[in-house]
Amino acid sequence: EMIRRDVLCLLLIAIMMLLTCGAETTSHLWGSTGELWDGYANVNSQLYDWSTSGYKYGDERLPNEPVTDVFKPSDPGGLTGSVDVTAALQEAIDNTPPGGVLRIPAGTYKIMKPVMISQSIVIRGDGPEKTIIAPGGSLYDAHGKEGPCVATSKACGTQSSKGYGFCEGFIKLNSWTVMSSTSWKASYVAAPQVAGDNTLTLRAGSKLQVGDSLRIVLEDDNQRTLIYHLLGQTPASNITRWTINTFVAKIIQKEGDKVTLNRKLPFNVRLEWNPWVDEARYKVMNVGLEYFAIRHEAAAAYPGHHKEFGYNGIDLAKCMYCWVRGVHIHNADVGILMTNSVLSTITDVKFTSDRQPDCQGHHGHHAIDISASGSMLIQNIEFTKTAFVHGITVMSLSHLNVITGVYAEGCIFTGDHHGNAPFMNLWDNISASSVDRFFEYGGNNDVFPSSGRSETAWNVYANNGKHGEVVRFLGVLPKQQNPSRPWVPWGNLAVIPFQPSTPVAVPKGYRYYLHVFADDLPSTGHLREGQNQGLIMKTPAPLDTLSPTSLWAAQLLKRSGEFAPPFLDSNTWALSCCCTSCPSCQCCKADRARIASQNSTGCETPWQKVSNEEQPLSNATAAEVHAYLYQKYGLPPNYTATAIEDMNYTARRTLAARINETEVITTADEVY
């Protein structure tokens, strides 16, 4: 059966026919080293340049400033969890000067109420196995009343919500967005621009200068043309007046009133949307939380969706240039909230639970929520037999966020699109015991469709118990959310690769990019059109590998070349693309001979060459090596070889030279 030309124009299916067993394959959108990528030429381009997401546009490593203050409880019981240290810890936080680093030494610290951060500081533990923040109860216990986030659910009984299921944390940032169209650096945009441009023409007299980061604000008109542009379709609610204000870019050149930006516009800028810009600022910026654990040992069994009491972790809402690094969170209702934020990073975070799940097998509500945030980097996230109702959540115009290197051991993972038009986010190098529920979504009917345009799922697959070992790639699509309404979710969705096990209905009239295995095609090689338009499978495809395994890392390497590897320290999974994406990089040159001697076909461990200054440590003890790595790379000295191996490729290569290689290889089987 032939497909009509008009259907082909609306539905783009990229079919990869070159797979053979045991071989890598590449995408026609990218190629081997990005040679096929159009660099996001216009609004119809499928792949944005996500390499500029994360802390300071991905151009700088996370800071590792020296300790300026140390928390020392006056009562010895404060180190063992037997005495409440809330007031003392709050005092230490308040007394740490802006730009300072507050060290919380090894110990268990009981807090009964949330502690508040109101200035730009870093809170650093001695490692998540050593420094433990132990709330003595829930937020409902702490406040003695119902919280502001009340919702209802029919799941798992009739117990009522306590109002902390999607807001607040036991470590909380006190910040807000600083933004005004009348501020001294604000300016209205004088000319329209289109997606893919990297320039703006401002009204005469703009005070913004080269080096400033600007925020673009667009306000919807009465016809709702802005939200239609971001969704690619009509929203459920015709009442909401939409405003987007979390796209931030740095000015790299200014000629008169025309400014050139360091990144391309992800959307059109039309004058009917009243566009204006201001310097991107928040009340509190540059906040870091690192190397400790939050453990809710007192948490009761998870009561079910929207019935949470508030065994929560971190709330860093409304922040810019902030980070969470090397933190473990145990038995959480909500793990990390970093909503209404921009250009921040969450990295090397682990979620665990030993409390009883609810009737549906969930241990918590939201693991990470970045609703209404832009250009965030979420990398190296591990779930160990811990299932959340919503794994990582995007909502309310969240865009250009990167979620990469997620590993769910013994549990499912959901990329939760909670409605109100999140768009152009990258879900990259993600594996779980099952990805059949990857596109599950939350939210009420008035926030549908759950996603805007151009979401991309790259190298998402079910694993066999280890990240990197593929059982089957993602093979499901989002479901029709309400057949009685005139919308279909997820316009312009890309799934690369796409490996369905049963016939899949593809929404008619929506441009999808599905990278399909040759063996998964129907015998005719065509799509079937009609009421059940979709793909017809012939036989399962062989298990193969997509190259590059991380699109985000490949883009960063392509943009920064030799300078990129240091910024990939904490994503060794992503670095597997190094030798194909950056063959001139030092990490490839150094290991080429070793790779050849092992008859390896790829760049599985592209460790950077040990520099001359590190060679004298070749006979050092493990403790001396740990201390050295802490000083040079910011890794706590108590971290195990496993943690160092997985967090920092330079550290791994250094460590391997002086610790028994068998031990390192054995412990590396456990992915951090």
Side-chain angles (χ1 to χ4, degrees), residues 151-213:
T152 60
S153 172
K154 297 179 180 179
C156 303
T158 59
Q159 189 174 18
S160 64
S161 168
K162 299 301 179 183
Y164 298 100
F166 49 97
C167 62
E168 295 202 27
F170 272 92
I171 301 177
K172 186 175 180 179
L173 177 64
N174 180 28
S175 182
W176 57 87
T177 304
V178 179
M179 181 176 63
S180 172
S181 61
T182 60
S183 73
W184 76 284
K185 279 196 173 183
S187 174
Y188 281 90
V189 177
Q193 304 289 156
V194 297
D197 289 347
N198 68 333
T199 60
L200 286 174
T201 301
L202 307 179
R203 289 186 182 176
S206 170
K207 302 298 191 298
L208 289 165
Q209 299 299 323
V210 171
D212 287 343
S213 284

Side-chain angles (χ1 to χ4, degrees), residues 258-269:
K258 185 176 183 179
V259 296
T260 302
L261 308 176
N262 68 329
R263 55 205 311 228
K264 294 185 175 183
L265 297 172
F267 39 61
N268 295 340
V269 176

Side-chain angles (χ1 to χ4, degrees), residues 617 619-630 658:
L617 289 176
N619 297 318
T621 65
E624 290 170 333
V625 170
H626 287 179
Y628 173 78
L629 294 175
Y630 178 45
R658 50 192 71 72

Side-chain angles (χ1 to χ4, degrees), residues 103 153 280 537 661:
R103 177 181 171 230
S153 172
M537 304 307 111
E661 187 70 21

